[in-house]
Amino acid sequence: MELEEEARTLAESRLRPSGASGSPTPDEEERPEGSTALVAPPAGFEGDSAGADGLWGLPVEHAERRPECSRCSRPQKVCLCPYLPVHPLQISTRLYIIQHPAEESKVLRTVPLLAACLPPDKCTVKIGRRFSEERDIELSTVCRDSGTLILYPGAEATNLEEFILDSPVYPSTIILIDGTWSQAKDIFYKNSLFRLPKQVELKTNICSQYVIRMQPTSRCLSTLECAAAALSILEKNNNIQETLLRPLQALCSFQLQHGAQIRLSKEYLLKNGLYPKPMPKNKRKLRKMELLINSVKI
Ligand SMILES: [Zn+2]
């Protein structure tokens, strides 16, 4: 039975149209969790059909999603609720997470863990790529509120810690974008609504603890880590960060114990000649890689 499932998984992974699996950037790839990690093609493994020809004839069915825990949204067998606070954290800041649709289906998501730690009225997740004033009245009101911030790094952004020292209005809401770096950039720049709130960034030297998903650099933080850092600053309470990071640490340690590998950052791999894929031919992408090797902020 197990073998059948493995075969089906392998066959499915090969039947995806080449555009879907053709050239994901490393930070978009994700290693399936736990025991299934062994049957997934390794990172960078594409195209070579040797040994799998016989699997083409197998019927292709969509793998059924395993039953999920209603609180942490993890498969029930690997529920992380013991690492969540018993009661949702009492915070006054409202968090809005703008989630790219591709992020919702990923196995190793951090937003459900974050949401499970917060009161439902303090954490709103909006899924989509485009938002308009007319269709998204609620979001539009939030973006127009002078107490709303958006966390997105860049030349226009102010360091959050410095901002709250001088701000005449204490921030009541913070918006975060959840997706890969390119998805977040697309969402931020293609929605004029997100240019309305004050743009802030985190100036921190902490390295990501989300070691099972590759980030462009080790200083790029997952959405949960960004939210944890931002909320601890806004709420002036470092315990918040500690509490929110606990389920992420448990998730990573579980995955590592079950065959996942530490995903070194793209920056580290490039600098040490370990990047597993050919360098891109596209000049713009190549330039980005060069900037990463030279540690220039992109
Ligand atoms: Zn759970």
Side-chain angles (χ1 to χ4, degrees):
M1 181 61 195
E2 236 169 57
L3 274 177
E4 266 175 42
E5 276 179 22
E6 285 186 14
R8 195 161 59 218
T9 312
L10 196 54
E12 275 180 23
S13 74
R14 290 182 181 286
L15 286 175
R16 259 184 268 142
S18 59
S21 65
S23 55
T25 54
D27 51 342
E28 283 166 341
E29 290 172 6
E30 195 154 54
R31 187 177 292 274
E33 56 185 59
S35 57
T36 56
L38 296 172
V39 301
F45 180 82
E46 286 160 16
D48 177 15
S49 62
D53 289 351
L55 300 173
W56 284 98
L58 288 174
V60 177
E61 292 166 28
H62 287 288
E64 270 178 47
R65 244 190 137 112
R66 288 167 290 175
E68 283 181 354
C69 166
S70 58
R71 186 177 179 203
C72 69
S73 305
R74 299 274 306 146
Q76 277 169 1
K77 276 187 184 170
V78 286
C79 157
L80 288 174
C81 288
Y83 302 93
L84 302 179
V86 179
H87 302 292
L89 292 177
Q90 289 311 304
I91 53 169
S92 54
T93 313
R94 276 189 310 161
L95 199 63
Y96 266 81
I97 296 168
I98 308 301
Q99 187 172 63
H100 190 280
E103 202 61 27
E104 196 193 0
S105 58
K106 292 211 163 145
V107 180
L108 299 170
R109 296 166 292 164
T110 62
V111 169
L113 294 177
L114 173 64
C117 294
L118 302 174
D121 64 326
K122 298 291 183 196
C123 182
T124 305
V125 181
K126 291 211 162 270
I127 299 166
R129 294 173 67 232
R130 298 291 175 262
F131 300 89
S132 75
E133 298 234 17
E134 299 73 44
R135 275 180 289 129
D136 302 281
I137 311 284
E138 180 201 351
L139 192 61
S140 166
T141 311
V142 168
C143 289
R144 292 197 167 278
D145 189 320
S146 60
T148 299
L149 307 176
I150 186 159
L151 190 71
Y152 189 83
E156 305 288 301
T158 310
N159 177 5
L160 176 61
E161 263 175 306
E162 286 168 15
F163 176 77
I164 57 167
L165 295 177
D166 310 325
S167 172
V169 182
Y170 201 82
S172 58
T173 306
I174 187 158
I175 302 175
L176 270 76
I177 304 175
D178 181 40
T180 63
W181 284 81
S182 57
Q183 289 163 352
K185 192 174 169 186
D186 173 74
I187 289 176
F188 181 72
Y189 286 107
K190 301 251 173 85
N191 290 286
S192 55
L193 263 183
F194 299 140
R195 233 64 51 66
L196 298 173
K198 176 72 192 164
Q199 190 185 342
V200 292
E201 63 183 348
L202 295 167
K203 287 275 183 216
T204 167
N205 289 323
I206 56 170
C207 285
S208 177
Q209 299 186 35
Y210 193 28
V211 290
I212 49 176
R213 185 158 165 189
M214 189 190 275
Q215 309 282 357
T217 83
S218 57
R219 291 172 307 286
C220 294
L221 302 179
S222 64
T223 305
L224 184 145
E225 290 170 304
C226 285
L231 286 176
S232 67
I233 294 170
L234 290 165
E235 300 281 319
K236 300 186 171 72
N237 179 354
N238 285 335
N239 291 338
I240 289 179
Q241 188 161 12
E242 210 175 291
T243 307
L244 291 178
L245 292 185
R246 208 171 291 138
L248 182 74
Q249 288 155 352
L251 170 71
C252 291
S253 106
F254 178 86
Q255 294 297 127
L256 293 172
Q257 280 167 27
H258 289 79
Q261 286 175 4
I262 289 185
R263 309 294 304 266
L264 296 165
S265 69
K266 198 197 272 188
E267 178 192 31
Y268 179 91
L269 295 175
L270 285 167
K271 279 187 175 170
N272 292 279
L274 299 170
Y275 190 62
K277 293 184 175 181
M279 294 300 271
K281 291 196 177 75
N282 175 307
K283 277 190 183 158
R284 196 176 54 83
K285 283 188 180 168
L286 194 59
R287 175 81 187 128
K288 265 182 140 182
M289 294 283 226
E290 283 166 2
L291 290 174
L292 206 50
I293 294 172
N294 297 318
S295 287
V296 178
K297 198 171 178 185
I298 51 172

